[in-house]
Amino acid sequence: MTTRSDNSNCENQSCSFPLSSHGDSLNNDNPMNLSNVIHWINSFEFTRPKKTIVRDFSDATMVAEIIKFYWPKLIDLHNYVPASSLTNKISNWDTLNRKVLKKVKLPISKETIEKLSTADPNTIFQFLKSLKLVVDEFEHEKQLRLEKNQNCPLYIIVNDEMIQVTENDCCTKEYLSKEVVGLINKLKHKINEMEHKIDHMSSLICVKDRRIKDLQSQLNQLKKDNSS
């Protein structure tokens, strides 16, 4: 993990975060401060040790690892090789922007890519702030979906049976709508009521059958007694 001296070095750099957008999705009004970003970065264990944040993140590889943590199926880390040359750094950022950042609604311009690749402090920290904002929103939405699933369970049809699933289950079938689930549950309830009535009627029939047999036996005995 990054030491306190590394954090201090990062905080002492000129990081007022001015950034012209030119089509970027970086949020310049984000109130998150530098210490929040550094604390967040320090919560990760990267494949290589952190030294100076602006240089560490200039080749996009650590950003790729952060994204892999939150969206594991969205990114392949082998596409991003640690780089020292400007050309390779730009190549990493181009790939990340094209394949991933646009999908998480954080596209960046060529100008920003160049600034990130040259380890511009303002641009690096502004980008990390915006990335954390996207991650926080993603985590919030995930929590809302989890709470919704707990209140409104998901169901699919398997072998003519309705079974409950979660969003984390590997499922290729389409979820049933709330209306369909409600209708199926209502029909199930009616079927259960009918089955209960049938069981009750079956019991009554058995009792009546026994009663009829008893009466028939008594009648036969009376006929026998009369004939004698």
Side-chain angles (χ1 to χ4, degrees), residues 65-129:
E65 290 184 35
I66 291 176
I67 293 174
K68 182 72 172 179
F69 179 82
Y70 293 102
W71 294 277
K73 296 181 180 180
L74 190 60
I75 189 169
D76 293 320
L77 292 181
H78 69 265
N79 289 329
Y80 309 93
V81 181
S84 56
S85 71
L86 180 60
T87 301
N88 291 338
K89 289 180 179 181
I90 291 177
S91 177
N92 279 347
W93 280 108
D94 278 334
T95 302
L96 187 68
N97 188 42
R98 185 177 68 257
K99 292 188 174 183
V100 180
L101 296 182
K102 291 180 179 179
K103 293 180 181 178
V104 298
K105 299 179 181 180
L106 189 61
I108 53 179
S109 66
K110 290 183 178 180
E111 179 185 354
T112 298
I113 288 176
E114 291 177 358
K115 288 183 178 181
L116 290 168
S117 301
T118 56
D120 177 70
N122 297 336
T123 310
I124 290 285
F125 284 113
Q126 181 61 58
F127 174 81
L128 292 176
K129 286 167 65 178

